[in-house]
Amino acid sequence: MKKVGFIGWRGMVGSVLLERMRAEGDFAGIESVFFTTSQAGQPGPDVGAGSAPLQDATDVEALAGMDIVVTCQGGDYTREVHPKLRAHGWNGSWVDAASALRMEEDSIIVLDPVNRTLIDRALESGVKDFIGGNCTVSLMLMGLQGLFDQGWVEWMTAMTYQSASGAGARNMKELVSQMAALGEIGAGLAADPSSAVLELDRKIGDALLSAEFPTEQFGAPLAANLIPWIDKGMADGRTKEEWKGAAETNKVLGLEASPIPVDGQCVRVGAMRCHSQALTLKLKQDIPLADIESAITEANDWSRLVPNEEEVTLRTLTPAAVNGTLDIPVGRLRKMVLGPDFVTCFTVGDQLLWGAAEPVRRMLAILLGRL
Ligand code: HSE
């Protein structure tokens, strides 16, 4: 029975991972060992075989006893522990949700519905580090896999509308606190049909900019606002999130030698846990819309075409509609007035599922020979 060590299982991505693994019965037939960075010795979770004391996540000897390590602990942990564990001679498989090792030459970014061939080749050639991709990239590729598989894409821009969850659990809470503060300030005026809307707007506007408004996590109001900046700035004017869009898309697709240009602007919006993206694609030729539609729907079991109509768009192509599901709806699909080889579409996906936990869960299943 394979020994699988879990680190960072209590955090947001880790909790979603455990939830999914429980739902899929993934804990059966493996020996699960739970590690902790702060509470060694305390009882671990019961995933079917009773609870055992938590192990120390920095104990290289204990980690080296695992066949597979799955971590959602974050990049700092990976940077600290992974090199020590490898230096110790450990040759097990490391499956990681954090970005720290993503662009390493001897790692692979895993998104098996899209790059299973690359994953299998990597396994054959002895690759041992399997890293989940950036959430926007994974969600975009799950939606548009068909177009990339066909080799139709000459270049693409991704304008993103990223949820609070991408910034972390505390940020999700801060977003709701911001909404609550605004609700309190505006409630009376909003409910009164005869109140002056400009008065309501002024109160909300003043509150958003007041020193008391809770912005510790985001550094700016997100409720009734947006933040056109995600992650660190880079020398060329992109943010790191925008850089990842290009670098990781091409790494997932195995196109680093002749990359497809990808660029855009990444924006944080007040959605809870679903990222949305408005995509513009320059195709290599004029492909009929019907062929594009079938390529999108046939590429994998999760991408789903939403007809470009108002009612169904409002009902199914929003962060609220997709929240907590593995669906990747793609809608607002049409040729652009820019020319017949320009296509635009809009896609939504759950940042914690296909954007984080699900590719990691499935990579573990692949390593266990179950997928
Ligand atoms: N960087 C993403 C975000 C998180 O800030 O939304 C997941 O890759």
Side-chain angles (χ1 to χ4, degrees):
M1 199 183 280
K2 294 267 194 238
K3 279 184 145 186
V4 183
F6 293 90
I7 301 119
W9 47 275
R10 232 193 295 253
M12 189 160 56
V13 173
S15 303
V16 173
L17 175 68
L18 255 57
E19 213 173 273
R20 284 287 301 137
M21 288 189 66
R22 281 196 170 102
E24 296 289 338
D26 290 343
F27 286 110
I30 60 173
E31 186 180 336
S32 303
V33 181
F34 290 90
F35 289 82
T36 173
T37 52
S38 55
Q39 295 175 321
Q42 294 199 7
D46 181 359
V47 291
S51 170
L54 295 172
Q55 309 260 320
D56 178 357
T58 58
D59 180 348
V60 170
E61 200 66 52
L63 289 167
M66 301 296 115
D67 297 297
I68 301 169
V69 165
V70 178
T71 169
C72 301
Q73 180 69 28
D76 291 343
Y77 174 79
T78 299
R79 277 183 285 269
E80 186 198 328
V81 171
H82 177 270
K84 287 187 196 155
L85 191 53
R86 289 295 183 213
H88 187 78
W90 183 68
N91 197 32
S93 299
W94 177 274
V95 186
D96 197 338
S99 66
L101 302 176
R102 263 183 217 152
M103 298 312 288
E104 295 296 316
E105 218 161 275
D106 49 4
S107 79
I108 176 153
I109 303 181
V110 294
L111 186 63
D112 70 277
V114 173
N115 70 351
R116 180 66 194 253
T117 315
L118 284 191
I119 293 173
D120 288 343
R121 213 180 296 154
L123 285 167
E124 271 163 37
S125 67
V127 168
K128 294 287 181 183
D129 294 337
F130 304 92
I131 320 298
N134 169 266
C135 42
T136 24
V137 171
S138 297
L139 296 170
M140 178 278 292
L141 284 172
M142 287 299 291
L144 294 194
Q145 177 183 357
L147 310 192
F148 289 100
D149 283 355
Q150 296 288 340
W152 288 339
V153 182
E154 186 177 319
W155 54 253
M156 186 183 80
T157 71
M159 302 301 179
T160 73
Y161 306 80
Q162 296 184 220
S163 61
S165 62
R170 287 197 199 110
N171 296 64
M172 292 175 81
K173 290 182 179 170
E174 184 169 274
L175 172 61
V176 174
S177 302
Q178 292 183 355
M179 289 169 169
L182 296 182
E184 206 173 302
I185 289 158
L189 286 171
D192 175 1
S194 67
S195 73
V197 74
L198 291 182
E199 166 72 358
L200 175 62
D201 173 59
R202 192 183 53 74
K203 282 201 161 172
I204 296 295
D206 288 349
L208 289 172
L209 298 181
S210 81
E212 292 78 53
F213 200 67
T215 59
E216 202 187 328
Q217 302 300 326
F218 283 113
L222 185 62
N225 202 25
L226 57 78
I227 303 174
W229 193 282
I230 296 179
D231 211 335
K232 294 191 271 280
M234 310 223 345
D236 65 3
R238 287 182 290 180
T239 62
K240 194 151 183 220
E241 188 77 356
E242 290 154 4
W243 169 82
K244 285 177 182 174
E248 291 195 24
T249 296
N250 284 293
K251 179 157 179 172
V252 172
L253 295 172
L255 296 175
E256 290 127 305
S258 50
I260 295 174
V262 177
D263 205 349
Q265 301 242 4
C266 292
V267 179
R268 186 79 64 202
V269 299
M272 284 300 275
R273 60 179 269 187
C274 284
H275 283 1
S276 306
Q277 308 184 53
L279 304 162
T280 296
L281 296 120
K282 166 74 172 68
L283 304 182
K284 290 178 185 161
Q285 71 234 51
D286 176 5
I287 309 286
L289 206 55
D291 294 359
I292 295 173
E293 290 176 353
S294 357
I296 289 172
T297 44
E298 284 161 21
N300 61 57
D301 292 344
W302 299 273
S303 61
R304 185 166 58 68
L305 196 75
V306 177
N308 189 15
E309 294 159 14
E310 183 178 0
E311 188 277 327
V312 69
T313 298
L314 266 60
R315 185 162 45 80
T316 65
L317 191 62
T318 65
V322 176
N323 194 304
T325 77
L326 290 161
D327 283 355
I328 307 285
V330 181
R332 299 306 329 278
L333 178 71
R334 62 179 173 83
K335 292 289 182 89
M336 300 180 87
V337 295
L338 303 175
D341 43 357
F342 286 86
V343 171
T344 184
C345 62
F346 192 88
T347 181
V348 184
D350 189 303
Q351 187 266 329
L352 296 173
L353 286 167
W354 275 119
E358 193 66 3
V360 164
R361 184 191 75 78
R362 291 173 63 95
M363 188 62 224
L364 173 60
I366 291 171
L367 288 168
L368 294 169
R370 296 169 171 176
L371 196 68

